[in-house]
Amino acid sequence: MAVVFPTAEWVAEFKKQIDEKPDYKEGGKGWREGVIVLIINAKPQVGIDADFNIYLDLHEGQCREARVCSDEEVGDHPFVIRGEYDRWKLVVLDQLEPVKAMMQGKLKLTGDLPTIVRNIDGAKTLVKCATYVETVFIDE
Amino acid sequence: MSSWEPDSDFVFHMPTKVLYGPGSHREIRAEMADLACDRAVIVTDRGLRENTDLPARIQKALGATCVGVFDDVEPDSRFEIVDAGAAFAAKLGADCLVSVGGGSSMDTTKAISIVMTNGGSIREHLAVHALTGPQTPHIAVPTTAGTGSEVTNVALIKDEAARTKFFVLDNQIFPRTAILDPTLTTGLPAGLTASTAMDAMTHAIEAITSICRNSMSESFAVQAIGMINGAIRRAVEAPEDILARGTLLSAATMAGAAFCNAMVGVVHAVAHALGGVCSVPHGIANSIMLPHAIHFNAVTDAEAYAPVVATLGIKASSPLAAAQMAAARLTELAASCGLQTKLSQVGVNRRQFQEIADKAMADGAVLNNCRPVAGPEEIVALLDAAF
Ligand SMILES: [Fe+2]
């Protein structure tokens, strides 16, 4: 069943794909830094009225938790990646490589880039898992 | 002869105003006024201040608009220096920072501008494109022709304890203005002239071959390679030659704009690690590693070097042979300028290879290399070849 991006249902389906498919189990096995928060900037014009924060607790190829989180929770975590909805949409479509996008300033990273770079296979396989989600985009 | 692929996307960002000309540093006060600033702090290093008249010349040109000089910059400045510089400038009520020196002074100034604008310590701002607005204006006055830092959005800062260089990458930290005055570089010693020029040469070549290569970076880089190749020996042999000095200075800035938008590759990943682990000066590390990286990359992507080969006037039976000849030519060029060409000549020990390789693999630059680097063992092999 198709789910709308970005919604809590989409995040749940994303976790299901990470859990079920082999991609991230292999690509993410080097990640031991825990939580990454992905923020989709508010875009009322497309129906995203407030920043949409996705909390991903990742460890050695497993996703321990994935959920929508509040703005208050974001501040505590060392890896936060923020971007415009249109950019995240391209990431989910596997048309924008997130690490390159961070270097180009299309996505904004708070946290240590070398750590992300060391785990580039994790980033790539997470995107792969996102493409497995049957997605309907909120602006379409 | 072009190596970029029109089907790949790119961003080209070069917001820094470049003012070039012999004597152009005398216009700095007018440039400051254009930025609506009237209280400048000069950021430089003590060696430059004590051994040359360069900071004094800039101070004189700024006149009463210079409210102080911070001269604690070190090669590869530390977090503590950045925070101290920001406190110094804030106390004096500065509204503008003027860097005078090489890459360390410019990078330190970028970092100081972040702390001045956002408060706290630079440790809290080690992020990638996370700044949300303009920072304290920075006018860069390079006194070496190499780093290109005057037109880049990156600042490298060393964490002494971790023997690691951290960086801030952010479009908000491009200097607002770069003043390129070749008369400020005539006193640069031959060794530094050559090594900084080879740093710029490496920027240009890695920008051309990076996986982020693009048409605009390539045009800057190709031009820079030709200019550096034509002027480097003259600048080493005749330090007062303004034409040679100016050629290197503007070429280094062009190479800076090129790599800022196309990134650098494995040479810089290894050079950063060689700087962190063995304190090998950046330009020398690049100059030594560049030919070996060309051999490594050309095995899978010799065509990427086509613009380099063409610019150096090399003709060969195949792209691979041409790239290999370019590597040999670059080694000759460095040696003819008096530079070391082997790691064993610059205090590197084989026992350090593993640490260097591990650090290089964790460097963002390695990702952009045209030939994917499979693991630290390939870096160790490169180091071995360069030993
Ligand atoms: Fe460099």
Side-chain angles (χ1 to χ4, degrees), chain B residues 147 199 203 259 268 272 282 286:
Chain B
T147 72
D199 182 25
H203 295 155
F259 90 82
H268 269 77
H272 293 153
H282 181 69
N286 277 329

Side-chain angles (χ1 to χ4, degrees), chain B:
Chain B
M1 201 65 182
S2 190
S3 73
W4 65 284
E5 288 118 28
D7 61 343
S8 61
D9 63 290
F10 72 88
V11 171
F12 192 89
H13 202 76
M14 217 300 243
T16 306
K17 173 182 179 182
V18 176
L19 189 81
Y20 172 87
S24 56
H25 78 276
R26 292 190 299 257
E27 295 176 58
I28 191 164
R29 195 163 46 189
E31 290 302 320
M32 229 176 103
D34 283 354
L35 297 171
C37 296
D38 62 3
R39 294 180 67 82
V41 158
I42 290 175
V43 178
T44 189
D45 66 87
R46 199 160 300 138
L48 201 67
R49 200 176 181 192
E50 287 173 355
N51 302 321
T52 75
D53 65 350
L54 300 174
R57 283 163 74 184
I58 303 305
Q59 197 172 0
K60 185 169 172 233
L62 286 167
T65 62
C66 177
V67 296
V69 180
F70 179 77
D71 66 0
D72 283 342
V73 172
E74 296 173 353
D76 306 323
S77 268
R78 295 173 284 124
F79 292 154
E80 294 77 12
I81 304 271
V82 170
D83 293 347
F88 177 86
K91 206 171 100 194
L92 293 169
D95 61 6
C96 177
L97 296 164
V98 174
S99 58
V100 180
S104 296
S105 287
M106 290 187 270
D107 284 13
T108 303
T109 305
K110 291 171 184 174
I112 290 174
S113 78
I114 295 171
V115 177
M116 279 184 75
T117 309
N118 303 280
S121 161
I122 190 63
R123 289 171 198 277
E124 296 154 38
H125 303 293
L126 301 173
V128 178
H129 295 294
L131 298 170
T132 51
Q135 307 298 296
T136 305
H138 170 193
I139 298 177
V141 186
T143 60
T144 65
T147 72
S149 186
E150 63 277 11
V151 289
T152 73
N153 56 357
V154 65
L156 283 167
I157 307 293
K158 193 172 183 177
D159 180 0
E160 195 81 330
R163 288 208 292 180
T164 300
K165 285 185 182 179
F166 285 90
F167 63 87
V168 180
L169 173 67
D170 205 297
N171 288 337
Q172 302 292 352
I173 63 171
F174 279 106
R176 298 286 292 275
T177 309
I179 296 183
L180 308 184
D181 183 345
T183 67
L184 303 178
T185 67
T186 52
L188 198 64
L192 264 178
T193 300
S195 66
T196 50
M198 288 306 288
D199 182 25
M201 178 70 97
T202 309
H203 295 155
I205 293 178
E206 292 212 285
I208 285 173
T209 57
S210 151
I211 61 166
C212 300
R213 58 203 184 213
N214 63 78
S215 57
M216 294 182 69
S217 285
E218 185 180 295
S219 70
F220 275 79
V222 162
Q223 184 74 6
I225 291 169
M227 290 164 76
I228 297 165
N229 187 43
I232 183 171
R233 261 187 292 239
R234 177 74 186 152
V236 166
E237 287 159 10
E240 299 287 337
D241 186 323
I242 288 293
L243 189 61
R245 291 293 190 181
T247 302
L248 287 187
L249 187 57
S250 57
T253 300
M254 292 166 72
F259 90 82
C260 176
N261 290 285
M263 308 295 169
V264 282
V266 69
V267 182
H268 269 77
V270 175
H272 293 153
L274 283 166
V277 177
C278 326
S279 301
V280 181
H282 181 69
I284 292 176
N286 277 329
S287 181
I288 292 173
M289 295 311 301
L290 177 63
H292 300 284
I294 294 176
H295 280 283
F296 174 78
N297 289 339
V299 171
T300 60
D301 198 2
E303 267 95 8
Y305 289 92
V308 180
V309 164
T311 307
L312 294 176
I314 290 169
K315 290 192 172 41
S317 54
S318 69
L320 179 63
Q324 288 166 341
M325 283 170 69
R329 185 78 66 82
L330 290 162
T331 303
E332 283 164 29
L333 187 65
S336 74
C337 294
L339 289 177
Q340 298 92 332
T341 55
K342 292 182 166 67
L343 292 177
S344 56
Q345 299 166 332
V346 292
V348 178
N349 192 306
R350 279 182 190 278
R351 284 194 301 276
Q352 295 166 309
F353 279 11
Q354 195 60 47
E355 187 185 358
I356 297 164
D358 290 340
K359 280 206 156 63
M361 284 307 292
D363 191 291
V366 85
L367 280 185
N368 304 310
N369 198 58
C370 56
R371 175 177 170 185
V373 183
E377 60 287 350
E378 291 193 337
I379 304 283
V380 169
L382 263 180
L383 293 168
D384 202 47
F387 198 73

Side-chain angles (χ1 to χ4, degrees), chain A residues 99-100 102-106 108-114 117-118 120, chain B residues 9 11 126-130 166-167 169 212 263 362-364 367-368:
Chain A
V99 176
K100 183 177 171 190
M102 283 178 221
M103 299 218 189
Q104 292 179 329
K106 292 179 177 179
K108 299 172 192 305
L109 167 73
T110 305
D112 184 38
L113 183 66
V117 167
R118 269 195 297 277
I120 186 151
Chain B
D9 63 290
V11 171
L126 301 173
V128 178
H129 295 294
F166 285 90
F167 63 87
L169 173 67
C212 300
M263 308 295 169
D363 191 291
L367 280 185
N368 304 310

